[in-house]
Amino acid sequence: MNLKEFADTLDEMAHGSTREEFFLSCVDELSGRLLAKTKKRTPVGPGVFRLADDAEVSRGRRLYSSQSKQDKKGALHWSIERTHKTAQDVKLIKVQPGGTLRRMWRATPAKGGSRKYEARVFNPMEYASYVEYGHRQHVGQFVPILGKRLKRAWIPGQHMLQNSRNELNKEMPGILQRRLNAWLGGRLK
């Protein structure tokens, strides 16, 4: 490569469309890494269960019998009544696996131009911010699904996204340096 070709290549790299593609691909990689780290840190719940029907229980009647009714807005409400059988006769069937919060993490494609490039990593679940940052609760309130009363006024957050972002910020210079070296090496040969 002579000096004129080298100067033209440098000018194309500084002002051409390949520079734009390079920056967008870097942002896409960083958002993908952040997404993977955040998913790994997100806690997974046990899932959603229902009580088995009498036909599904091999040893007779259930500990609880359940009934559902629909309100004016169409929402289903379940009432559970205790029977005289023991907990050994209860059969639960998993209706939905846990991990909905983990599965819902998303990243937008990179966009931007000239000086600012960005991609968003987010979770559309309505309770994601409460798990991330923590939340208040009413001490002494009975929660039927847990079968007990609340004891703590504040539940601390898990900080999945924040901790992942802090970890990625430490790794970012090395990642970008490797990508830049590979891009320059491929262009200047």
Side-chain angles (χ1 to χ4, degrees), residues 3 15 34 43 51 56 64 71 83 106 118 126-127 141:
L3 190 56
H15 304 292
L34 180 61
L51 294 171
E56 295 168 323
Y64 297 98
D71 65 6
T83 64
R106 303 284 184 259
E118 63 183 23
E126 65 244 7
Y127 59 90
Q141 178 182 350

Side-chain angles (χ1 to χ4, degrees), residues 23-35 104-112 117-124:
F23 288 147
L24 290 173
S25 69
C26 287
V27 173
D28 277 336
E29 180 180 346
L30 292 173
S31 67
R33 286 176 181 254
L34 180 61
L35 184 65
M104 292 303 291
W105 283 105
R106 303 284 184 259
T108 61
K111 62 181 179 181
Y117 297 87
E118 63 183 23
R120 261 182 71 211
V121 175
F122 65 98
N123 195 319

Side-chain angles (χ1 to χ4, degrees), residues 6-19 183 187:
F6 181 71
D8 290 341
T9 303
L10 284 179
D11 187 51
E12 180 187 335
M13 289 170 59
H15 304 292
S17 64
T18 58
R19 179 186 78 138
W183 185 66
R187 305 286 300 160

Side-chain angles (χ1 to χ4, degrees), residues 47-53 55-57 90-96:
V48 178
F49 295 85
R50 72 171 172 82
L51 294 171
D53 294 335
E56 295 168 323
V57 178
V90 173
K91 173 82 171 152
L92 296 175
I93 296 173
K94 190 176 253 188
V95 176
Q96 181 179 347

Side-chain angles (χ1 to χ4, degrees), residues 4-166:
K4 172 76 172 124
E5 291 172 346
F6 181 71
D8 290 341
T9 303
L10 284 179
D11 187 51
E12 180 187 335
M13 289 170 59
H15 304 292
S17 64
T18 58
R19 179 186 78 138
E20 197 79 16
E21 292 170 9
F22 171 71
F23 288 147
L24 290 173
S25 69
C26 287
V27 173
D28 277 336
E29 180 180 346
L30 292 173
S31 67
R33 286 176 181 254
L34 180 61
L35 184 65
K37 288 177 182 293
T38 304
K39 279 185 174 184
K40 191 181 288 186
R41 283 192 167 95
T42 302
V44 176
V48 178
F49 295 85
R50 72 171 172 82
L51 294 171
D53 294 335
D54 286 331
E56 295 168 323
V57 178
S58 61
R59 289 193 291 226
R61 288 186 286 192
R62 298 167 289 174
L63 175 63
Y64 297 98
S65 63
S66 61
Q67 296 176 344
S68 67
K69 63 179 180 178
Q70 203 166 11
D71 65 6
K72 293 176 184 176
K73 295 180 181 177
L76 280 176
H77 296 278
W78 290 88
S79 64
I80 298 176
E81 299 172 1
R82 190 174 181 91
T83 64
H84 63 280
K85 283 295 190 181
T86 64
Q88 295 171 350
D89 295 331
V90 173
K91 173 82 171 152
L92 296 175
I93 296 173
K94 190 176 253 188
V95 176
Q96 181 179 347
T100 303
L101 185 64
R102 180 179 283 183
R103 284 190 303 273
M104 292 303 291
W105 283 105
R106 303 284 184 259
T108 61
K111 62 181 179 181
S114 69
R115 293 183 177 256
K116 185 178 178 182
Y117 297 87
E118 63 183 23
R120 261 182 71 211
V121 175
F122 65 98
N123 195 319
M125 293 300 294
E126 65 244 7
Y127 59 90
S129 63
Y130 300 117
V131 177
E132 173 74 17
Y133 301 113
H135 60 90
R136 280 192 252 180
Q137 58 186 13
H138 300 285
V139 176
Q141 178 182 350
F142 182 75
V143 180
I145 226 151
L146 298 175
K148 53 186 170 182
R149 296 190 178 280
L150 300 176
K151 293 181 180 163
R152 298 189 316 184
W154 176 255
I155 301 298
Q158 301 289 319
H159 305 291
M160 305 90 58
L161 184 61
Q162 182 179 0
N163 291 341
S164 298
R165 187 182 62 217
N166 292 342

